[in-house]
Amino acid sequence: MAHKTNAVKIRLLKPTEAGGLWKATLKRADKTCFPGDARHKFSGKTWVILIGDKLAGYACTKSHSPHTAFLDRYGILPRYRGQGLQTKLLKKCLDWHRNRTTKQVVTYTKPENAKSTNSLLKIGFKPYWPRAIWASKNVVYLILRQKCRNYKKS
């Protein structure tokens, strides 16, 4: 339980931070979290979860429309797994979107990744089948419908 003795911090990276050291650090983390599939381009919004000053995980989202966000990529490094950090990270990320105009967040995961799917279900995501397949037929699509705090009908 590494995070009991060190402070857990979750924060949104500023666009100016997304390059340089953070870019290299995130690419290494992505390669560790997704071996054989580490080709992610970090664009959109990127949150990091830190234990002390060490990166424990990350989450990336992109806006697809004024009211829909895509939870693009998220991972917790192996030595920090099983401590509830992914749930904390995703809740913080989703809360940020809830404070804007995001009414729904969509994502997908591989069926064999039960732990990730369960984390998403635990925080309110529901399985759904999109009208148009946008990732693959071999994934579990999930959606979170939420009431955003700053939504005003035009």
Side-chain angles (χ1 to χ4, degrees):
M1 291 243 163
H3 78 276
K4 291 293 181 193
T5 57
N6 292 313
V8 175
K9 292 182 275 183
I10 300 171
R11 69 183 191 86
L12 176 62
L13 291 182
K14 297 174 188 165
T16 55
E17 294 178 297
L21 181 61
W22 272 114
K23 185 175 181 179
T25 302
L26 287 167
K27 283 200 175 282
R28 278 194 307 277
D30 196 54
K31 198 173 196 176
T32 302
C33 290
F34 297 95
D37 188 28
R39 54 182 154 51
H40 183 69
K41 300 206 181 343
F42 289 90
S43 60
K45 304 289 182 193
T46 301
W47 282 261
V48 293
I49 185 164
L50 305 166
I51 307 296
D53 62 349
K54 304 278 188 222
L55 179 70
Y58 60 93
C60 305
T61 62
K62 294 178 181 173
S63 292
H64 273 262
S65 74
H67 305 297
T68 302
F70 172 47
L71 178 56
D72 187 21
R73 192 82 150 187
Y74 52 94
I76 299 295
L77 292 166
R79 72 184 218 192
Y80 297 107
R81 290 179 185 162
Q83 301 176 43
L85 297 176
Q86 180 168 290
T87 299
K88 287 180 185 178
L89 174 62
L90 293 178
K91 280 183 175 180
K92 183 82 165 187
C93 170
L94 295 170
D95 197 47
W96 184 90
H97 280 283
R98 191 175 295 110
N99 284 323
R100 271 84 191 149
T101 61
T102 307
K103 292 172 28 178
Q104 63 184 16
V105 180
V106 295
T107 193
Y108 64 90
T109 186
K110 294 181 179 178
E112 62 270 16
N113 193 349
K115 287 184 180 182
S116 184
T117 303
N118 288 337
S119 286
L120 293 166
L121 293 172
K122 181 178 171 182
I123 59 174
F125 277 85
K126 305 280 186 230
Y128 85 109
W129 194 254
R131 289 184 197 149
I133 302 301
W134 44 271
S136 163
K137 289 182 181 179
N138 303 321
V139 298
V140 177
Y141 290 93
L142 298 130
I143 189 166
L144 175 69
R145 289 179 170 53
Q146 58 186 11
K147 291 190 177 194
C148 52
R149 296 184 181 120
N150 291 327
Y151 177 69
K152 294 180 179 119
K153 289 186 178 180
S154 358

